[in-house]
Amino acid sequence: MEAMKISKRFFAFGILACIAIYVAYIKWHLDSKPVVGATEGVAESRGDKLNHQALTTDLSVFYGIMFDAGSTGTRIHIFKFTQQPKETPKLTHETFKALKPGLSAYADDVEKSGQGIKELLEVAKKEVPVELWKFTPLVLKATAGLRLLPGEKAQKLLDKVKEIFQASPFFVRDNCVSIMNGSDEGISAWITINFLTGSLDDPQKRSVGMLDLGGGSTQITFLPRTEATLQSSPAGHTTSFQMFNSTYKLYSYSYLGLGLMSARLAILGGVEGKPCEPLYESCSNKVAKMLYKKVHKAEEVKDLDFYTFSYYYDRAAEVGLIDKEKGGSLTVGDFEIAAKYVCKTMEISPGSSPFLCMDLTYITLLLQELGFPKSQVFKLARKIDNVETSWALGATFHYIDSLNRLQY
């Protein structure tokens, strides 16, 4: 009888011990599970190998991989971040590589499109520590090149990329490959600029707006300071999104057909030849007629700081308004003076840039149509703190943040 009591006690003790071990295992498993795209701990500078001491710190190191599939090439951005608990992530390193031509060039040979993607993935494998591969999000976003392809051809290219991504060791979801619309491009570029200028870290610091002039479209994005701007904006000109536990209500719009190359065609009427007589007044009249009632003028923009990109930068650098490498600051009036000078000079000697008069005139009038006075100062920069000012960083941030929100 006594033996049975002892046996029952041991049996009960055994069950309790098993339960305790199981609970401890579950707790350990949940505590040690990293957030998608991040791991707890910090990588050592030599070799980025995680060690026990690093795992006991509060600093997290994580990576994000963004493919920018543009019309002329495919580029990979590999971003390395660190983050303290409850703080905005810090970018500590960016690796960038580009290959030509763009994905759209393989519309009739889909299999061949995979070679460049695989080559760029090898770059990512070298940059991201092996132990972080399965936690590192891998994304491709395509822009103008694929937007202009017939839907079926574009989809086949995207499906091929997705197949390669799913075979890779990185973290991929169903939405890992997509075509961006113009507004998403503008929003992502806005995130990039405001992250690099520090306004996402500091709510007291004024955010900056973003102007981009591409070949086929032009974008404007800013954070309104007055409710009146949001209420008076046309349909489709405002959007909101969540990031870093904050909700941002942005004014953001992409004008398809008002990019610099599209504007040239519209002004020329689709005919090759001289863009307009090399007189500023002549060009100005034709541009004004083309832009008439096509752009919404937001009153608030004249009181905000803006960065400008792409052809705004290229044309300003071409005529010496800014340093080609370092960028600089200039006004709408500076563009106008340059336009008048170039147009006048072309009357005497056409030179090697027959469209420069029209391009500068178009930029001058477009900025004024958007609501900017001639005295408005813009900042032009290709890099801030040695980081490319493209939409890729902002899109990576937003994607990783959305993944983290799915965890909770």
Side-chain angles (χ1 to χ4, degrees):
M1 195 72 176
E2 190 67 30
M4 283 184 67
K5 285 182 181 178
I6 292 171
S7 177
K8 285 179 180 178
R9 284 177 193 156
F10 271 113
F11 181 70
F13 176 77
I15 289 175
L16 288 171
C18 288
I19 291 171
I21 291 167
Y22 178 73
V23 169
Y25 169 76
I26 292 296
K27 186 177 186 305
W28 171 81
H29 182 71
L30 290 174
D31 287 345
S32 63
K33 184 182 179 183
V35 176
V36 174
T39 67
E40 298 219 5
V42 59
E44 289 182 342
S45 58
R46 286 178 294 180
D48 281 348
K49 299 296 182 184
L50 295 175
N51 60 22
H52 177 72
Q53 183 181 0
L55 287 166
T56 63
T57 71
D58 289 330
L59 188 66
S60 294
V61 170
F62 59 98
Y63 290 77
I65 304 167
M66 179 62 68
F67 277 73
D68 167 3
S71 55
T72 59
T74 301
R75 308 157 194 98
I76 187 172
H77 298 261
I78 304 156
F79 299 109
K80 179 183 178 181
F81 304 101
T82 60
Q83 185 175 23
Q84 296 283 2
K86 298 180 181 178
E87 287 189 8
T88 305
K90 310 286 184 192
L91 179 67
T92 58
H93 186 69
E94 178 193 16
T95 299
F96 171 83
K97 185 173 180 180
L99 292 178
K100 291 184 178 184
L103 270 182
S104 53
Y106 301 106
D108 297 317
D109 192 357
V110 174
E111 287 304 312
K112 200 172 179 182
S113 70
Q115 295 173 9
I117 300 294
K118 290 175 182 176
E119 184 179 331
L120 293 175
L121 277 174
E122 289 303 312
V123 177
K125 288 178 184 177
K126 290 175 184 175
E127 287 296 319
V128 180
V130 175
E131 59 270 30
L132 300 188
W133 284 359
K134 63 181 179 181
F135 306 121
T136 300
L138 174 61
V139 181
L140 177 141
K141 291 187 180 292
T143 54
L146 261 68
R147 275 187 221 140
L148 296 171
L149 281 181
E152 189 179 332
K153 287 191 173 184
Q155 192 57 51
K156 283 182 178 178
L157 285 167
L158 294 177
D159 289 344
K160 181 62 182 177
V161 174
K162 189 173 181 180
E163 178 189 315
I164 294 168
F165 277 14
Q166 287 174 333
S168 81
F170 298 107
F171 179 81
V172 296
R173 301 186 78 230
D174 283 342
N175 64 349
C176 64
V177 176
S178 62
I179 297 176
M180 291 181 91
N181 61 43
S183 292
D184 286 342
E185 241 180 287
I187 292 164
S188 295
W190 182 89
I191 295 170
T192 296
I193 295 305
N194 284 280
F195 170 73
L196 294 176
T197 55
S199 66
L200 292 182
D201 273 336
D202 184 1
Q204 303 303 315
K205 192 169 183 179
R206 287 185 61 168
S207 65
V208 295
M210 186 284 305
L211 291 166
D212 198 339
L213 180 60
S217 62
T218 186
Q219 288 91 32
I220 176 171
T221 304
F222 65 92
L223 181 67
R225 292 181 155 268
T226 66
E227 193 64 30
T229 299
L230 294 170
Q231 291 175 355
S232 62
S233 299
H237 282 61
T238 59
T239 186
S240 63
F241 68 95
Q242 278 188 299
M243 196 175 71
F244 304 145
N245 300 316
S246 297
T247 298
Y248 296 91
K249 292 181 179 179
L250 295 182
Y251 178 104
S252 184
Y253 197 72
S254 178
Y255 293 96
L256 190 60
L258 294 188
L260 196 61
M261 299 304 124
S262 297
R264 284 182 182 178
L265 281 173
I267 292 164
L268 284 168
V271 180
E272 288 294 332
K274 289 186 177 180
C276 51
E277 290 301 317
L279 295 165
Y280 178 77
E281 291 75 15
S282 174
C283 271
S284 183
N285 290 335
K286 290 182 180 181
V287 170
K289 186 178 179 181
M290 192 276 269
L291 284 174
Y292 183 64
K293 288 189 175 181
K294 288 187 179 175
V295 177
H296 176 251
K297 187 175 290 187
E299 291 298 323
E300 192 184 347
V301 297
K302 64 182 184 295
D303 302 317
L304 302 175
D305 295 326
F306 274 81
Y307 274 77
T308 65
F309 304 104
S310 303
Y311 281 118
Y312 289 122
Y313 190 106
D314 296 342
R315 291 298 172 266
E318 190 174 343
V319 293
L321 290 174
I322 58 169
D323 184 276
K324 191 174 182 180
E325 298 301 322
K326 298 176 182 177
S329 297
L330 50 78
T331 66
V332 177
D334 291 330
F335 273 119
E336 183 181 47
I337 291 167
K340 288 179 177 177
Y341 176 78
V342 168
C343 293
K344 189 69 177 173
T345 303
M346 286 176 67
E347 290 181 57
I348 304 163
S349 174
S352 58
S353 302
F355 291 99
L356 194 54
C357 168
M358 186 182 73
D359 289 353
L360 291 168
T361 304
Y362 178 70
I363 287 171
T364 302
L365 269 68
L366 174 63
L367 291 171
Q368 290 178 80
E369 284 296 305
L370 288 167
F372 297 103
K374 291 184 182 181
S375 59
Q376 182 95 15
V377 178
F378 298 112
K379 292 180 181 176
L380 295 90
R382 280 212 173 105
K383 290 186 176 184
I384 297 175
D385 290 337
N386 214 32
V387 178
E388 293 280 339
T389 53
S390 76
W391 57 260
L393 174 58
T396 304
F397 255 153
H398 196 201
Y399 190 83
I400 289 175
D401 184 69
S402 66
L403 290 178
N404 286 339
R405 276 188 277 112
L406 289 174
Q407 307 297 306
Y408 301 104

